[in-house]
Amino acid sequence: MEFKTKKNQNASVDLKLTFDKNDLEKAFEKTYKEKQKDLKIPGFRPGKAPIEMVKRHLGDSVANDAINLLLLETVSELSGKLEHKIVRFPKFTVEDYVPEKSLVATAVYDTDPEVSLGKYKKIKIKLPEVQVTDEDITEELQFVRKQLARKLLREPSEGAENGDIVDMEFEVKEDGQEPKNAKNGSSDYKLGEANNLPGFDDNLYGIKTGETKNFTYTYPSDYPREDLAGKKMEFAMTLKAIYKEVLPELDDDLASEYDGSSSLQVLKDKIKTDLQKNYNEAVKSKKMEEIYKELVADSKFVFPESYLTEESEHVYQNMMQDVLGRGQARIPKEQIPSIEKYAEMVKKPLGEVRDSFKTIAENRLKGYFSRQKLASAENIVLTDEDFDREISTLASRYGMSDADFKKELEKGKLLETYRDNFLAKKIDDTLFQLVEKKYNEKMSIRQLKEFLSNKETGEVWQ
Protein backbone atom coordinates (compact mmCIF):
# COMPACT_ATOMS: atom_id res chain seq x y z
CA MET A 1 0.00 0.00 0.00
CA GLU A 2 1.17 3.51 -0.81
CA PHE A 3 -0.26 6.76 0.48
CA LYS A 4 0.10 10.41 -0.41
CA THR A 5 -1.16 13.46 1.47
CA LYS A 6 -1.57 17.12 0.62
CA LYS A 7 -2.32 19.71 3.31
CA ASN A 8 -5.07 22.20 2.48
CA GLN A 9 -5.57 25.69 3.87
CA ASN A 10 -8.82 24.86 5.73
CA ALA A 11 -7.36 22.38 8.24
CA SER A 12 -8.11 19.46 5.95
CA VAL A 13 -5.86 17.01 4.11
CA ASP A 14 -6.21 15.27 0.74
CA LEU A 15 -5.40 11.58 1.13
CA LYS A 16 -4.72 9.14 -1.71
CA LEU A 17 -4.34 5.40 -1.10
CA THR A 18 -3.02 2.97 -3.69
CA PHE A 19 -3.35 -0.80 -3.10
CA ASP A 20 -1.77 -3.61 -5.10
CA LYS A 21 -2.81 -7.19 -5.81
CA ASN A 22 -1.36 -8.49 -2.53
CA ASP A 23 -3.33 -5.92 -0.45
CA LEU A 24 -6.57 -6.90 -2.19
CA GLU A 25 -5.98 -10.61 -1.74
CA LYS A 26 -5.49 -10.22 2.01
CA ALA A 27 -8.64 -8.10 2.35
CA PHE A 28 -10.73 -10.57 0.31
CA GLU A 29 -9.33 -13.49 2.29
CA LYS A 30 -10.40 -11.92 5.59
CA THR A 31 -13.82 -11.09 4.19
CA TYR A 32 -14.41 -14.64 2.88
CA LYS A 33 -13.50 -16.07 6.30
CA GLU A 34 -15.90 -13.69 8.00
CA LYS A 35 -18.69 -14.60 5.59
CA GLN A 36 -17.93 -18.31 6.00
CA LYS A 37 -19.22 -18.24 9.59
CA ASP A 38 -22.85 -17.75 8.56
CA LEU A 39 -22.91 -18.88 4.93
CA LYS A 40 -25.37 -21.67 4.04
CA ILE A 41 -24.31 -23.93 1.16
CA PRO A 42 -26.31 -27.06 0.28
CA GLY A 43 -24.73 -30.18 1.74
CA PHE A 44 -22.95 -28.32 4.54
CA ARG A 45 -24.02 -27.09 7.93
CA PRO A 46 -23.95 -23.25 8.33
CA GLY A 47 -20.36 -22.10 8.68
CA LYS A 48 -18.85 -25.49 7.76
CA ALA A 49 -18.38 -25.10 4.02
CA PRO A 50 -14.69 -25.22 2.87
CA ILE A 51 -13.17 -21.80 2.31
CA GLU A 52 -12.44 -22.54 -1.37
CA MET A 53 -16.10 -23.35 -1.94
CA VAL A 54 -17.04 -20.11 -0.13
CA LYS A 55 -14.80 -18.17 -2.50
CA ARG A 56 -16.34 -19.78 -5.58
CA HIS A 57 -19.84 -19.27 -4.23
CA LEU A 58 -19.40 -15.57 -3.32
CA GLY A 59 -16.84 -14.48 -5.89
CA ASP A 60 -16.57 -10.71 -6.33
CA SER A 61 -19.91 -10.07 -4.57
CA VAL A 62 -17.95 -9.33 -1.37
CA ALA A 63 -15.93 -6.58 -3.06
CA ASN A 64 -17.64 -3.73 -1.19
CA ASP A 65 -17.14 -5.41 2.16
CA ALA A 66 -13.52 -6.24 1.35
CA ILE A 67 -12.74 -2.71 0.19
CA ASN A 68 -14.39 -1.19 3.28
CA LEU A 69 -12.38 -3.54 5.51
CA LEU A 70 -9.18 -2.63 3.67
CA LEU A 71 -9.83 1.11 4.05
CA LEU A 72 -10.76 0.78 7.72
CA GLU A 73 -7.64 -1.20 8.60
CA THR A 74 -5.42 1.11 6.54
CA VAL A 75 -6.68 4.26 8.25
CA SER A 76 -6.10 2.60 11.62
CA GLU A 77 -2.57 1.63 10.56
CA LEU A 78 -1.82 5.14 9.26
CA SER A 79 -3.02 6.93 12.39
CA GLY A 80 0.47 7.06 13.88
CA LYS A 81 2.33 7.70 10.63
CA LEU A 82 0.54 10.73 9.18
CA GLU A 83 2.04 14.16 9.74
CA HIS A 84 -1.44 15.60 10.17
CA LYS A 85 -3.61 13.25 12.21
CA ILE A 86 -7.10 12.17 11.22
CA VAL A 87 -9.66 13.46 13.75
CA ARG A 88 -12.62 11.53 12.31
CA PHE A 89 -12.92 8.68 9.83
CA PRO A 90 -13.17 10.18 6.32
CA LYS A 91 -15.56 9.29 3.54
CA PHE A 92 -13.62 7.60 0.73
CA THR A 93 -14.21 7.68 -3.00
CA VAL A 94 -13.00 4.73 -5.09
CA GLU A 95 -11.25 6.33 -8.05
CA ASP A 96 -10.10 3.15 -9.77
CA TYR A 97 -10.70 -0.51 -9.06
CA VAL A 98 -9.36 -3.41 -11.12
CA PRO A 99 -10.54 -6.71 -9.57
CA GLU A 100 -7.67 -8.83 -8.23
CA LYS A 101 -5.13 -6.23 -9.37
CA SER A 102 -5.35 -2.73 -7.90
CA LEU A 103 -7.41 -0.14 -6.05
CA VAL A 104 -7.08 3.63 -5.79
CA ALA A 105 -9.18 5.48 -3.19
CA THR A 106 -9.18 9.13 -2.16
CA ALA A 107 -10.60 11.15 0.69
CA VAL A 108 -10.44 14.56 2.29
CA TYR A 109 -10.10 14.30 6.06
CA ASP A 110 -10.27 16.88 8.83
CA THR A 111 -7.22 17.41 10.95
CA ASP A 112 -6.58 19.38 14.12
CA PRO A 113 -7.46 23.09 14.08
CA GLU A 114 -4.51 25.40 13.51
CA VAL A 115 -3.84 27.94 16.24
CA SER A 116 -1.19 30.65 16.29
CA LEU A 117 -1.28 32.37 19.65
CA GLY A 118 -0.81 36.09 19.98
CA LYS A 119 1.66 37.67 22.39
CA TYR A 120 -0.19 36.74 25.55
CA LYS A 121 2.65 37.80 27.85
CA LYS A 122 2.22 41.36 26.52
CA ILE A 123 -1.45 41.55 27.50
CA LYS A 124 -2.04 44.36 30.00
CA ILE A 125 -4.97 44.51 32.39
CA LYS A 126 -6.06 46.91 35.08
CA LEU A 127 -7.32 45.48 38.34
CA PRO A 128 -9.04 47.00 41.34
CA GLU A 129 -7.23 46.29 44.58
CA VAL A 130 -9.45 44.53 47.11
CA GLN A 131 -9.58 46.54 50.33
CA VAL A 132 -11.63 45.04 53.15
CA THR A 133 -12.89 47.87 55.35
CA ASP A 134 -14.20 47.80 58.93
CA GLU A 135 -17.62 48.53 57.45
CA ASP A 136 -17.36 45.41 55.26
CA ILE A 137 -16.50 43.26 58.27
CA THR A 138 -19.34 44.79 60.29
CA GLU A 139 -21.76 43.97 57.48
CA GLU A 140 -20.58 40.36 57.38
CA LEU A 141 -20.91 40.12 61.17
CA GLN A 142 -24.48 41.33 60.82
CA PHE A 143 -25.16 38.37 58.52
CA VAL A 144 -23.64 36.11 61.16
CA ARG A 145 -25.91 37.60 63.82
CA LYS A 146 -28.96 37.02 61.61
CA GLN A 147 -27.96 33.41 61.05
CA LEU A 148 -27.78 32.88 64.82
CA ALA A 149 -30.86 34.97 65.61
CA ARG A 150 -33.50 33.58 67.95
CA LYS A 151 -37.25 34.02 67.86
CA LEU A 152 -38.88 35.47 71.00
CA LEU A 153 -42.68 35.16 71.18
CA ARG A 154 -44.27 38.57 71.63
CA GLU A 155 -46.74 39.24 74.38
CA PRO A 156 -50.45 39.24 73.35
CA SER A 157 -50.58 42.98 73.98
CA GLU A 158 -47.74 43.71 71.52
CA GLY A 159 -48.48 44.48 67.88
CA ALA A 160 -46.44 43.28 64.90
CA GLU A 161 -43.49 45.47 63.93
CA ASN A 162 -41.06 45.75 61.05
CA GLY A 163 -38.56 42.88 61.25
CA ASP A 164 -40.91 40.56 63.17
CA ILE A 165 -41.55 36.98 62.06
CA VAL A 166 -45.21 35.96 61.95
CA ASP A 167 -47.33 32.86 61.48
CA MET A 168 -50.52 33.92 59.74
CA GLU A 169 -53.80 32.59 58.46
CA PHE A 170 -55.81 34.42 55.84
CA GLU A 171 -58.73 34.26 53.48
CA VAL A 172 -58.36 36.01 50.15
CA LYS A 173 -60.84 36.79 47.39
CA GLU A 174 -61.08 39.07 44.42
CA ASP A 175 -62.62 42.43 45.25
CA GLY A 176 -66.41 41.98 45.33
CA GLN A 177 -66.28 38.21 44.68
CA GLU A 178 -66.86 35.15 46.85
CA PRO A 179 -63.74 33.33 48.10
CA LYS A 180 -62.73 30.39 45.86
CA ASN A 181 -60.49 28.57 48.33
CA ALA A 182 -60.37 27.69 51.99
CA LYS A 183 -58.19 29.69 54.33
CA ASN A 184 -54.49 29.87 53.52
CA GLY A 185 -51.59 29.88 55.91
CA SER A 186 -47.98 31.00 56.02
CA SER A 187 -45.35 30.54 58.70
CA ASP A 188 -42.05 32.29 59.34
CA TYR A 189 -43.03 35.28 57.22
CA LYS A 190 -40.68 38.16 57.99
CA LEU A 191 -42.13 41.63 57.88
CA GLY A 192 -40.25 44.33 55.99
CA GLU A 193 -38.08 42.08 53.81
CA ALA A 194 -36.98 43.66 50.53
CA ASN A 195 -38.47 40.89 48.39
CA ASN A 196 -41.93 41.05 50.00
CA LEU A 197 -44.80 42.47 47.96
CA PRO A 198 -44.42 46.27 47.86
CA GLY A 199 -46.70 47.91 50.42
CA PHE A 200 -48.29 44.63 51.56
CA ASP A 201 -46.64 44.54 55.00
CA ASP A 202 -47.96 48.02 55.84
CA ASN A 203 -51.34 46.38 56.37
CA LEU A 204 -49.93 44.00 59.01
CA TYR A 205 -48.08 46.38 61.28
CA GLY A 206 -49.80 46.80 64.62
CA ILE A 207 -51.95 43.65 64.41
CA LYS A 208 -51.84 41.66 67.65
CA THR A 209 -51.80 37.90 68.13
CA GLY A 210 -55.24 36.44 67.40
CA GLU A 211 -56.60 39.62 65.84
CA THR A 212 -58.14 39.62 62.36
CA LYS A 213 -57.80 42.56 60.00
CA ASN A 214 -59.63 43.05 56.72
CA PHE A 215 -57.93 45.05 53.98
CA THR A 216 -57.59 45.28 50.21
CA TYR A 217 -54.38 44.98 48.27
CA THR A 218 -53.74 45.59 44.56
CA TYR A 219 -51.03 43.37 43.08
CA PRO A 220 -48.36 45.01 40.89
CA SER A 221 -49.15 44.96 37.18
CA ASP A 222 -45.90 43.07 36.51
CA TYR A 223 -46.55 40.38 39.13
CA PRO A 224 -45.35 37.01 37.74
CA ARG A 225 -48.73 35.28 38.23
CA GLU A 226 -50.97 36.48 35.44
CA ASP A 227 -54.14 35.55 37.39
CA LEU A 228 -53.14 38.07 40.08
CA ALA A 229 -51.20 40.78 38.21
CA GLY A 230 -52.92 44.14 38.60
CA LYS A 231 -55.90 42.70 40.49
CA LYS A 232 -57.42 44.14 43.64
CA MET A 233 -57.85 41.45 46.30
CA GLU A 234 -59.59 41.41 49.68
CA PHE A 235 -57.74 39.85 52.63
CA ALA A 236 -59.02 38.72 56.01
CA MET A 237 -55.73 38.35 57.89
CA THR A 238 -55.23 36.74 61.30
CA LEU A 239 -51.83 36.61 62.98
CA LYS A 240 -51.56 33.32 64.87
CA ALA A 241 -48.19 34.10 66.42
CA ILE A 242 -45.74 37.02 66.38
CA TYR A 243 -42.06 36.59 67.08
CA LYS A 244 -39.52 39.26 67.76
CA GLU A 245 -36.15 38.52 66.14
CA VAL A 246 -33.45 38.74 68.78
CA LEU A 247 -29.93 39.09 67.49
CA PRO A 248 -27.04 37.83 69.65
CA GLU A 249 -24.52 40.30 71.00
CA LEU A 250 -21.28 40.86 69.10
CA ASP A 251 -18.97 39.14 71.55
CA ASP A 252 -16.71 36.14 72.00
CA ASP A 253 -19.71 33.86 72.63
CA LEU A 254 -21.07 34.73 69.18
CA ALA A 255 -17.73 33.82 67.58
CA SER A 256 -17.58 30.52 69.43
CA GLU A 257 -21.15 29.58 68.52
CA TYR A 258 -20.70 30.50 64.85
CA ASP A 259 -17.59 28.54 63.91
CA GLY A 260 -15.70 27.77 67.11
CA SER A 261 -13.49 30.85 66.96
CA SER A 262 -11.74 31.56 70.26
CA SER A 263 -12.73 35.23 70.22
CA LEU A 264 -14.62 37.87 68.26
CA GLN A 265 -11.33 39.31 67.02
CA VAL A 266 -10.30 35.91 65.64
CA LEU A 267 -13.64 35.69 63.80
CA LYS A 268 -13.13 39.20 62.41
CA ASP A 269 -9.68 38.22 61.14
CA LYS A 270 -11.12 35.12 59.48
CA ILE A 271 -13.84 37.16 57.81
CA LYS A 272 -11.30 39.66 56.53
CA THR A 273 -9.08 36.89 55.13
CA ASP A 274 -12.01 35.11 53.48
CA LEU A 275 -13.37 38.32 51.94
CA GLN A 276 -9.93 39.21 50.61
CA LYS A 277 -9.47 35.77 49.09
CA ASN A 278 -12.98 35.38 47.67
CA TYR A 279 -13.11 38.81 46.05
CA ASN A 280 -9.62 38.53 44.63
CA GLU A 281 -10.80 35.32 42.96
CA ALA A 282 -13.98 37.01 41.78
CA VAL A 283 -12.04 39.90 40.25
CA LYS A 284 -9.66 37.48 38.62
CA SER A 285 -12.53 35.46 37.17
CA LYS A 286 -14.10 38.58 35.70
CA LYS A 287 -10.81 39.75 34.22
CA MET A 288 -10.07 36.34 32.68
CA GLU A 289 -12.80 36.96 30.14
CA GLU A 290 -11.13 40.24 29.19
CA ILE A 291 -7.75 38.47 28.93
CA TYR A 292 -9.09 35.71 26.69
CA LYS A 293 -10.90 38.16 24.46
CA GLU A 294 -7.66 40.02 23.89
CA LEU A 295 -5.73 36.78 23.39
CA VAL A 296 -8.26 35.49 20.85
CA ALA A 297 -8.30 38.81 19.00
CA ASP A 298 -4.51 38.67 18.67
CA SER A 299 -4.40 34.99 17.62
CA LYS A 300 -5.07 33.20 14.33
CA PHE A 301 -7.33 30.18 13.93
CA VAL A 302 -8.17 27.77 11.14
CA PHE A 303 -11.01 25.32 11.86
CA PRO A 304 -12.27 22.45 9.73
CA GLU A 305 -15.81 23.24 8.57
CA SER A 306 -17.08 20.13 10.35
CA TYR A 307 -15.97 21.58 13.71
CA LEU A 308 -17.99 24.73 13.14
CA THR A 309 -21.00 22.74 11.94
CA GLU A 310 -20.99 20.40 14.94
CA GLU A 311 -20.40 23.15 17.49
CA SER A 312 -23.13 25.31 15.92
CA GLU A 313 -25.57 22.43 16.30
CA HIS A 314 -24.42 21.95 19.89
CA VAL A 315 -25.03 25.64 20.65
CA TYR A 316 -28.49 25.46 19.07
CA GLN A 317 -29.45 22.28 20.93
CA ASN A 318 -28.34 23.73 24.28
CA MET A 319 -30.27 26.94 23.68
CA MET A 320 -33.46 25.02 22.85
CA GLN A 321 -32.98 22.82 25.92
CA ASP A 322 -32.89 25.96 28.06
CA VAL A 323 -35.90 27.49 26.33
CA LEU A 324 -38.12 24.41 26.17
CA GLY A 325 -36.97 22.75 29.37
CA ARG A 326 -36.70 26.06 31.26
CA GLY A 327 -33.51 24.72 32.80
CA GLN A 328 -35.41 21.86 34.46
CA ALA A 329 -36.18 18.71 32.46
CA ARG A 330 -34.05 17.34 29.64
CA ILE A 331 -35.98 17.49 26.36
CA PRO A 332 -35.60 14.49 23.98
CA LYS A 333 -33.69 15.57 20.89
CA GLU A 334 -36.50 14.47 18.57
CA GLN A 335 -38.82 16.97 20.27
CA ILE A 336 -36.55 19.91 19.53
CA PRO A 337 -37.56 21.72 16.33
CA SER A 338 -35.08 21.78 13.49
CA ILE A 339 -33.10 24.93 12.93
CA GLU A 340 -35.14 25.46 9.76
CA LYS A 341 -38.34 25.38 11.81
CA TYR A 342 -36.80 27.69 14.39
CA ALA A 343 -35.94 30.22 11.67
CA GLU A 344 -39.61 30.20 10.65
CA MET A 345 -40.69 30.67 14.28
CA VAL A 346 -38.49 33.74 14.80
CA LYS A 347 -39.28 35.00 11.29
CA LYS A 348 -35.67 35.38 10.21
CA PRO A 349 -33.82 34.12 7.12
CA LEU A 350 -32.30 30.66 7.64
CA GLY A 351 -28.86 31.89 6.60
CA GLU A 352 -28.94 34.67 9.19
CA VAL A 353 -29.96 32.24 11.93
CA ARG A 354 -27.24 29.75 10.99
CA ASP A 355 -24.64 32.53 10.94
CA SER A 356 -25.65 33.69 14.42
CA PHE A 357 -25.12 30.23 15.90
CA LYS A 358 -21.95 29.78 13.87
CA THR A 359 -20.52 33.00 15.35
CA ILE A 360 -21.15 31.78 18.90
CA ALA A 361 -19.70 28.39 18.00
CA GLU A 362 -16.59 29.94 16.49
CA ASN A 363 -16.02 32.09 19.58
CA ARG A 364 -16.31 29.05 21.84
CA LEU A 365 -13.92 27.03 19.70
CA LYS A 366 -11.43 29.88 19.70
CA GLY A 367 -11.58 30.09 23.47
CA TYR A 368 -11.21 26.34 23.93
CA PHE A 369 -8.35 25.83 21.46
CA SER A 370 -6.45 28.93 22.55
CA ARG A 371 -6.51 27.46 26.05
CA GLN A 372 -5.25 24.11 24.74
CA LYS A 373 -2.53 25.79 22.70
CA LEU A 374 -1.45 27.78 25.73
CA ALA A 375 -1.19 24.58 27.76
CA SER A 376 1.09 23.14 25.09
CA ALA A 377 3.22 26.29 24.82
CA GLU A 378 3.72 26.54 28.59
CA ASN A 379 3.93 22.76 29.23
CA ILE A 380 0.93 22.86 31.55
CA VAL A 381 -0.35 19.45 32.62
CA LEU A 382 -2.57 18.24 35.42
CA THR A 383 -0.59 15.78 37.50
CA ASP A 384 -2.16 13.14 39.71
CA GLU A 385 -1.08 15.22 42.70
CA ASP A 386 -2.87 18.27 41.25
CA PHE A 387 -6.01 16.23 40.71
CA ASP A 388 -6.00 14.75 44.20
CA ARG A 389 -5.42 18.16 45.76
CA GLU A 390 -8.38 19.69 43.92
CA ILE A 391 -10.57 16.71 44.80
CA SER A 392 -9.58 17.05 48.46
CA THR A 393 -10.52 20.75 48.46
CA LEU A 394 -13.96 20.04 47.02
CA ALA A 395 -14.53 17.02 49.28
CA SER A 396 -13.84 19.05 52.41
CA ARG A 397 -16.21 21.75 51.18
CA TYR A 398 -19.00 19.17 51.01
CA GLY A 399 -18.01 17.54 54.29
CA MET A 400 -16.99 14.28 52.61
CA SER A 401 -13.87 12.14 52.58
CA ASP A 402 -11.78 12.22 49.41
CA ALA A 403 -12.61 8.56 48.68
CA ASP A 404 -16.36 9.04 49.11
CA PHE A 405 -16.35 12.15 46.94
CA LYS A 406 -14.50 10.30 44.18
CA LYS A 407 -17.01 7.45 44.37
CA GLU A 408 -19.88 9.90 43.86
CA LEU A 409 -18.14 11.38 40.83
CA GLU A 410 -17.53 7.91 39.42
CA LYS A 411 -21.22 7.04 39.87
CA GLY A 412 -22.18 10.09 37.87
CA LYS A 413 -19.40 9.47 35.33
CA LEU A 414 -18.03 12.91 36.14
CA LEU A 415 -14.39 12.19 36.96
CA GLU A 416 -13.08 13.16 33.52
CA THR A 417 -15.26 16.26 33.45
CA TYR A 418 -13.76 17.38 36.75
CA ARG A 419 -10.28 16.52 35.50
CA ASP A 420 -10.84 18.75 32.46
CA ASN A 421 -12.14 21.54 34.67
CA PHE A 422 -9.13 21.32 36.96
CA LEU A 423 -6.78 21.49 33.99
CA ALA A 424 -8.64 24.51 32.60
CA LYS A 425 -8.30 26.22 35.98
CA LYS A 426 -4.56 25.53 36.06
CA ILE A 427 -4.18 26.98 32.55
CA ASP A 428 -6.14 30.07 33.54
CA ASP A 429 -4.06 30.52 36.70
CA THR A 430 -0.88 30.34 34.64
CA LEU A 431 -2.14 32.83 32.07
CA PHE A 432 -3.23 35.23 34.79
CA GLN A 433 0.27 35.10 36.27
CA LEU A 434 1.88 35.74 32.86
CA VAL A 435 -0.05 38.85 31.79
CA GLU A 436 1.01 42.31 32.92
CA LYS A 437 -1.18 43.56 35.78
CA LYS A 438 -1.66 47.03 37.16
CA TYR A 439 -3.70 47.76 40.26
CA ASN A 440 -5.30 51.10 39.53
CA GLU A 441 -7.65 51.73 42.48
CA LYS A 442 -8.68 50.38 45.85
CA MET A 443 -12.24 49.12 46.24
CA SER A 444 -14.23 48.12 49.28
CA ILE A 445 -16.36 45.00 49.17
CA ARG A 446 -19.46 47.11 48.58
CA GLN A 447 -17.82 48.80 45.59
CA LEU A 448 -16.56 45.46 44.28
CA LYS A 449 -20.06 44.00 44.35
CA GLU A 450 -21.15 46.74 41.96
CA PHE A 451 -18.03 46.30 39.83
CA LEU A 452 -18.58 42.54 39.56
CA SER A 453 -22.27 42.91 38.71
CA ASN A 454 -21.36 44.68 35.46
CA LYS A 455 -21.13 41.53 33.38
CA GLU A 456 -19.14 41.31 30.20
CA THR A 457 -20.91 40.10 27.08
CA GLY A 458 -19.83 37.25 24.84
CA GLU A 459 -18.86 33.64 25.34
CA VAL A 460 -15.27 33.49 24.20
CA TRP A 461 -13.52 31.68 26.98
CA GLN A 462 -16.14 29.50 28.64
Side-chain angles (χ1 to χ4, degrees):
M1 182 274 299
E2 296 179 356
F3 70 91
K4 291 182 180 180
T5 59
K6 177 186 175 185
K7 181 71 171 60
N8 299 319
Q9 293 183 347
N10 61 347
S12 69
V13 177
D14 292 335
L15 174 63
K16 181 179 180 180
L17 302 176
T18 302
F19 302 95
D20 59 21
K21 178 181 179 180
N22 186 48
D23 299 320
L24 289 171
E25 285 179 351
K26 290 179 181 178
F28 271 81
E29 189 72 23
K30 289 180 181 178
T31 305
Y32 285 135
K33 288 182 178 179
E34 187 63 30
K35 297 290 185 182
Q36 181 187 30
K37 297 176 183 177
D38 302 311
L39 188 63
K40 296 180 181 179
I41 294 180
F44 297 92
R45 288 178 305 192
K48 297 300 181 180
I51 190 66
E52 292 304 320
M53 186 172 290
V54 171
K55 293 178 181 179
R56 289 196 300 271
H57 183 80
L58 295 177
D60 204 42
S61 66
V62 301
N64 283 339
D65 290 335
I67 290 172
N68 287 334
L69 175 64
L70 182 59
L71 294 173
L72 180 64
E73 290 183 343
T74 301
V75 169
S76 177
E77 179 187 340
L78 287 176
S79 61
K81 299 178 181 179
L82 294 172
E83 180 183 0
H84 304 286
K85 76 174 186 178
I86 300 175
V87 295
R88 54 173 55 80
F89 194 86
K91 183 178 180 180
F92 280 91
T93 299
V94 175
E95 301 290 348
D96 183 43
Y97 172 53
V98 180
E100 301 182 8
K101 289 187 178 181
S102 63
L103 169 70
V104 177
T106 60
V108 179
Y109 69 81
D110 291 335
T111 188
D112 285 331
E114 299 169 20
V115 182
S116 298
L117 285 183
K119 298 178 180 179
Y120 51 90
K121 294 181 182 179
K122 297 296 183 181
I123 294 176
K124 299 178 181 180
I125 59 169
K126 293 181 179 180
L127 296 164
E129 183 178 346
V130 178
Q131 185 178 45
V132 182
T133 65
D134 291 341
E135 184 181 359
D136 295 326
I137 296 175
T138 299
E139 190 172 323
E140 289 299 311
L141 285 172
Q142 192 66 12
F143 291 144
V144 171
R145 293 180 74 199
K146 288 180 179 180
Q147 289 181 51
L148 300 179
R150 294 171 176 83
K151 296 194 303 184
L152 179 64
L153 189 66
R154 281 194 179 276
E155 295 294 331
S157 60
E158 296 182 296
E161 298 179 6
N162 184 23
D164 283 351
I165 300 167
V166 300
D167 295 342
M168 54 192 184
E169 184 178 76
F170 56 92
E171 186 178 79
V172 60
K173 62 181 181 178
E174 193 168 350
D175 189 22
Q177 304 292 322
E178 291 297 318
K180 296 181 181 180
N181 301 309
K183 289 185 177 181
N184 299 290
S186 179
S187 61
D188 286 341
Y189 179 84
K190 189 171 184 179
L191 300 177
E193 287 287 271
N195 58 347
N196 292 353
L197 284 168
F200 184 84
D201 294 356
D202 294 339
N203 299 288
L204 308 183
Y205 297 142
I207 302 178
K208 298 176 182 177
T209 303
E211 285 187 349
T212 298
K213 181 179 179 180
N214 298 308
F215 61 89
T216 60
Y217 178 78
T218 302
Y219 280 83
S221 58
D222 60 351
Y223 190 65
R225 280 184 55 179
E226 294 182 3
D227 59 326
L228 292 176
K231 286 189 176 180
K232 187 176 183 180
M233 308 296 287
E234 295 181 0
F235 286 83
M237 180 70 70
T238 302
L239 298 189
K240 307 296 289 185
I242 306 173
Y243 301 93
K244 181 181 180 180
E245 186 178 56
V246 181
L247 301 179
E249 294 295 325
L250 278 173
D251 54 22
D252 293 346
D253 290 337
L254 170 88
S256 178
E257 183 181 356
Y258 179 64
D259 68 352
S261 294
S262 58
S263 68
L264 180 61
Q265 186 57 51
V266 170
L267 178 58
K268 287 181 178 180
D269 292 341
K270 285 182 183 178
I271 289 174
K272 183 174 183 178
T273 299
D274 289 343
L275 286 174
Q276 193 86 35
K277 177 183 176 182
N278 293 339
Y279 278 89
N280 273 325
E281 283 298 315
V283 168
K284 171 188 167 185
S285 180
K286 182 179 178 67
K287 284 295 179 178
M288 283 308 301
E289 184 170 355
E290 178 183 323
I291 291 170
Y292 271 101
K293 280 184 176 180
E294 190 167 338
L295 173 59
V296 164
D298 191 38
S299 302
K300 295 181 180 179
F301 304 86
V302 179
F303 296 114
E305 191 61 32
S306 62
Y307 273 59
L308 293 172
T309 301
E310 289 179 7
E311 186 62 21
S312 295
E313 179 65 18
H314 184 66
V315 170
Y316 173 70
Q317 291 288 329
N318 281 349
M319 184 204 73
M320 295 306 292
Q321 285 287 348
D322 290 340
V323 172
L324 299 178
R326 293 180 174 86
Q328 302 294 324
R330 187 75 183 169
I331 305 298
K333 190 173 181 179
E334 57 270 16
Q335 293 182 18
I336 295 178
S338 66
I339 195 167
E340 290 81 5
K341 184 66 176 177
Y342 173 77
E344 292 178 11
M345 292 163 56
V346 297
K347 298 179 180 179
K348 290 185 178 180
L350 178 60
E352 181 181 331
V353 171
R354 287 191 186 279
D355 286 344
S356 67
F357 288 113
K358 185 175 181 179
T359 298
I360 297 173
E362 188 171 13
N363 284 338
R364 288 187 176 181
L365 289 173
K366 285 179 177 179
Y368 174 80
F369 283 102
S370 62
R371 182 182 266 147
Q372 302 308 305
K373 187 70 173 181
L374 180 66
S376 175
E378 296 292 332
N379 298 314
I380 305 169
V381 296
L382 188 79
T383 65
D384 290 341
E385 291 77 11
D386 293 332
F387 181 76
D388 290 340
R389 183 169 54 252
E390 294 287 351
I391 286 291
S392 183
T393 299
L394 288 177
S396 62
R397 189 179 301 170
Y398 292 110
M400 302 172 65
S401 68
D402 295 2
D404 287 342
F405 187 65
K406 272 188 178 181
K407 285 180 182 177
E408 289 300 314
L409 295 182
E410 287 171 350
K411 286 180 185 177
K413 299 181 179 179
L414 293 172
L415 268 180
E416 289 309 309
T417 299
Y418 273 70
R419 190 179 295 276
D420 290 342
N421 291 341
F422 295 154
L423 175 58
K425 178 179 178 294
K426 188 172 183 179
I427 296 169
D428 293 348
D429 289 345
T430 301
L431 178 57
F432 189 75
Q433 292 298 320
L434 290 172
V435 301
E436 295 184 27
K437 295 175 285 292
K438 179 181 179 182
Y439 292 90
N440 57 340
E441 62 178 311
K442 293 181 178 181
M443 284 191 183
S444 67
I445 300 302
R446 184 171 295 180
Q447 291 172 315
L448 284 167
K449 287 178 180 178
E450 183 177 350
F451 168 77
L452 294 169
S453 67
N454 296 324
K455 296 181 178 178
E456 301 285 345
T457 58
E459 300 180 62
V460 172
W461 72 288
Q462 298 296 332

